[in-house]
Amino acid sequence: MEAAITLPNTSSNSSGTGSTPHSPVATGLILLSTLAILLATVVGNVLVVVAISISQVLRAPQNLFLVSLASADILVAIIVLPFSLANELIGYWYFSGLWCSLYLALDGLLCTASIGHLCAISLDRYWAVTRAARLNLRRSPRRVKGMIGAAWAAAALVALPPLLWAHPRSEKCQLSQETWYVLASRVASFFAPSFVMVAVYCRIYHLTTWQTAAFLPACTLHPASTGNSKKGLRVGMLDWQQWSQHQSMLLCRRRLVRAQERRFTIMLVVVMGAFVLCWFPFFFTYSLGAVCGEGCQVSKPRFRFFF
């Protein structure tokens, strides 16, 4: 996101004799890996949009979150990644200063909106668990679109204001590097949504576990409660059969609940693990540089890799 990009000077830009920052092998690897990420991002998210658009089953209001999220990620791949790749391979910002400012703003907007959608989805799932009856009545397309609009508006508030004081024709193409803005924007873009997501998903897991455990009925039938008469014997035999069937049902339900909890846990680990793995290194190192200054900044190649 708002990483500093140095603009080329006039002589190097006009002559085009500047050396590339990477060896041919490294350049090839960077090119192939980034193009693979770009292609996977576009194809995967287009498939999400198409599937929800053509499937009647998937046209539930809450899936509008996925459509908007996929759209943001598609725009990242189409608008942001190609220019990031060109800047990395060339070694300087080849394009105009105005486009540099727009590029950085769009990068911040789209990436923050993507994270905001993930946070909104987690809140929607939490309300679905805690307020199932009322939420199903209120989960209309209008309500979901309102939450999506809020995610985009919050992203705009974080990413776009620095354009007001940016200087696209200055020697360096960068947005505000002031500590207060870097920290405030990083908290709003990543750390606060991450805290909300972790807290909400942990709460969902505990609520789901408690609800499924409470759903299992206690075993109350027992053949010892029957009498010794013939009528009591017949009732006892009937109760014994019911008790045995009841036990089998309980065993099946327990196995089903354990399987559901296991799948839910794996899903949470994958989602949150991938989210933190992709975003935390960049946001942490970028915030660290703003707090500590030059003393604790990571090396430029490492930061560019995280970026």
Side-chain angles (χ1 to χ4, degrees):
M1 292 167 65
E2 297 89 349
I5 298 177
T6 303
L7 288 171
N9 57 41
T10 306
S11 59
S12 63
N13 193 21
S14 60
S15 62
T17 59
S19 60
T20 59
H22 304 287
S23 66
V25 174
T27 299
L29 291 176
I30 294 172
L31 180 64
L32 290 176
S33 60
T34 306
L35 289 178
I37 293 172
L38 190 154
L39 181 64
T41 302
V42 173
V43 173
N45 286 285
V46 166
L47 290 177
V48 170
V49 175
V50 171
I52 295 176
S53 300
I54 66 177
S55 174
Q56 294 289 343
V57 178
L58 297 177
R59 288 185 183 176
Q62 63 268 25
N63 285 338
L64 292 174
F65 287 117
L66 302 181
V67 174
S68 184
L69 171 62
S71 301
D73 291 338
I74 291 171
L75 292 175
V76 170
I78 294 175
I79 298 177
V80 176
L81 280 181
F83 293 96
S84 297
L85 176 61
N87 180 69
E88 181 65 29
L89 296 182
I90 298 174
Y92 58 83
W93 183 254
Y94 177 80
F95 311 95
S96 69
L98 177 61
W99 176 243
C100 176
S101 295
L102 294 176
Y103 156 80
L104 291 175
L106 288 172
D107 184 16
L109 171 68
L110 296 173
C111 292
T112 303
S114 180
I115 297 174
H117 280 75
L118 294 175
C119 185
I121 290 172
S122 68
L123 291 173
D124 181 73
R125 296 292 179 265
Y126 174 73
W127 290 328
V129 172
T130 59
R131 309 172 187 176
R134 287 181 293 170
L135 184 63
N136 287 335
L137 295 176
R138 295 184 299 169
R139 189 186 255 168
S140 62
R142 182 177 179 180
R143 175 183 173 273
V144 173
K145 289 177 182 178
M147 294 182 66
I148 292 173
W152 281 103
L157 289 175
V158 171
L160 299 184
L163 286 177
L164 299 176
W165 61 80
H167 301 285
R169 297 189 182 278
S170 62
E171 183 180 353
K172 286 187 177 182
C173 174
Q174 61 183 18
L175 296 177
S176 174
Q177 298 296 303
E178 296 188 22
T179 301
W180 71 268
Y181 174 75
V182 173
L183 294 180
S185 60
R186 297 317 94 193
V187 169
S189 298
F190 176 75
F191 292 107
S194 298
F195 176 79
V196 171
M197 290 171 62
V198 171
V200 164
Y201 279 128
C202 288
R203 182 60 177 165
I204 290 175
Y205 177 76
H206 287 298
L207 287 175
T208 304
T209 304
W210 178 82
Q211 289 176 356
T212 52
F215 176 75
L216 296 177
C219 180
T220 56
L221 296 176
H222 197 280
S225 61
T226 60
N228 294 325
S229 61
K230 293 182 180 180
K231 181 178 179 180
L233 183 60
R234 288 195 299 269
V235 173
M237 294 176 63
L238 180 61
D239 285 350
W240 173 260
Q241 293 176 352
Q242 293 176 348
W243 183 79
S244 301
Q245 294 175 357
H246 186 67
Q247 289 294 100
S248 299
M249 292 175 60
L250 282 177
L251 182 61
C252 292
R253 288 179 178 176
R254 289 193 183 101
R255 290 176 178 174
L256 179 61
V257 168
R258 291 193 188 100
Q260 290 175 340
E261 291 177 352
R262 191 182 307 112
R263 286 195 296 269
F264 188 69
T265 303
I266 293 174
M267 182 270 292
L268 290 184
V269 170
V270 170
V271 170
M272 293 305 303
F275 174 77
V276 172
L277 180 64
C278 290
W279 287 109
F280 181 79
F282 165 74
F283 279 109
F284 178 74
T285 54
Y286 191 47
S287 303
L288 193 65
V291 173
C292 304
E294 297 291 338
C296 53
Q297 284 184 343
V298 299
S299 62
K300 289 184 178 180
R302 185 176 299 176
F303 179 80
R304 280 152 58 184
F305 173 76
F306 292 153
F307 173 74

